[in-house]
Amino acid sequence: MEKKRIVVAVSGASGAPLAVACMKLLQKHTDYEIHLVISSGGEETIRHETDLTLEEFKSLAHISYDNKNIGASIASGTYETEGMIVVPCSMKTVAGIYGGYSDNLLLRAADVTIKERRKFILVTRETPLSPIHLRNMEYLSRLQNVVILPPVISYYSKPKSLEDINHHIAGKILDAAGIKIEGFKRWE
């Protein structure tokens, strides 16, 4: 059976542990293949926010791409994927997506995801938000396939640790991508 492909992108905003949580949950879905691309800012954030080396982080995915390789498979609309998750998503990345400025693989894959109308989840990270940030996200939120999903803590799940919080937010992210997670606590 051919696996479903999902693109996970990491940009240079705080939240690299959320990408780790998403990929660990995705690994439990043996019918999915994780395709990873990381911006240079994302690499820096991984070094600051996780205890993983870059190679260990990349090993959480099935396939990892160089962000400079705009000719990689995920840059083509004919390469079928289920969609893309940018976690975390910096405002620089939001601006690049908004403007269609595809000067690297992450932005090109985002452009392809939009034009092919595949599920596209942006886990946006910034506070406070400027009018420019809000304009860019408001425009993108109007696109049929785009979900803007800031990683907001849900206290009803009664988290006991940061790991609990990351797991719940990762469950929300994957739920928005149409991927059901065992043990994801919903509001009753």
Side-chain angles (χ1 to χ4, degrees):
M1 180 175 99
E2 192 170 314
K3 292 188 177 204
K4 300 174 191 174
R5 301 175 185 129
I6 186 86
V7 178
V8 174
V10 178
S11 71
S14 183
L18 293 173
V20 171
C22 283
M23 289 191 288
K24 285 183 175 181
L25 287 173
L26 279 167
Q27 287 174 343
K28 295 177 182 179
H29 282 269
T30 57
D31 54 334
Y32 276 90
E33 185 175 80
I34 306 164
H35 292 250
L36 177 66
V37 60
I38 307 169
S39 73
S40 58
E43 290 179 1
E44 189 67 26
T45 304
I46 290 164
R47 282 191 280 279
H48 285 287
E49 295 185 347
T50 75
D51 294 327
L52 302 172
T53 66
L54 192 56
E55 289 310 309
E56 289 169 332
F57 189 93
K58 289 178 179 179
S59 74
L60 296 172
H62 297 95
I63 300 169
S64 183
Y65 300 91
D66 182 336
N67 195 35
K68 295 178 190 143
N69 182 8
I70 60 170
S73 57
I74 60 173
S76 174
T78 60
Y79 191 74
E80 291 184 29
T81 70
E82 297 298 306
M84 183 171 179
I85 300 165
V86 184
V87 55
C89 185
S90 69
M91 289 301 118
K92 176 183 176 184
T93 299
V94 168
I97 295 166
Y98 168 83
Y101 186 67
S102 301
D103 72 336
N104 60 46
L105 180 58
L106 190 159
L107 292 174
R108 175 61 190 155
D111 193 43
V112 165
T113 302
I114 289 171
K115 79 178 184 72
E116 297 295 329
R117 291 178 170 73
R118 296 175 182 150
K119 291 177 185 167
F120 194 25
I121 292 77
L122 302 176
V123 184
T124 54
R125 289 280 308 163
E126 190 60 76
T127 190
L129 294 164
S130 79
I132 295 168
H133 303 149
L134 291 166
R135 179 208 59 207
N136 293 348
M137 289 190 295
E138 187 271 339
Y139 176 83
L140 291 171
S141 74
R142 290 183 186 200
L143 303 178
Q144 186 178 26
N145 56 320
V146 175
V147 174
I148 307 292
L149 198 151
V152 176
I153 299 170
S154 298
Y155 292 102
Y156 65 81
S157 65
K158 296 187 179 168
K160 306 255 185 292
S161 66
L162 189 54
E163 186 177 321
D164 288 348
I165 292 168
N166 289 342
H167 182 272
H168 187 75
I169 292 170
K172 283 182 169 181
I173 294 164
L174 297 179
D175 192 58
I179 304 167
K180 303 302 175 207
I181 299 303
E182 189 174 313
F184 176 61
K185 187 171 183 174
R186 296 178 184 279
W187 178 255
E188 297 283 329

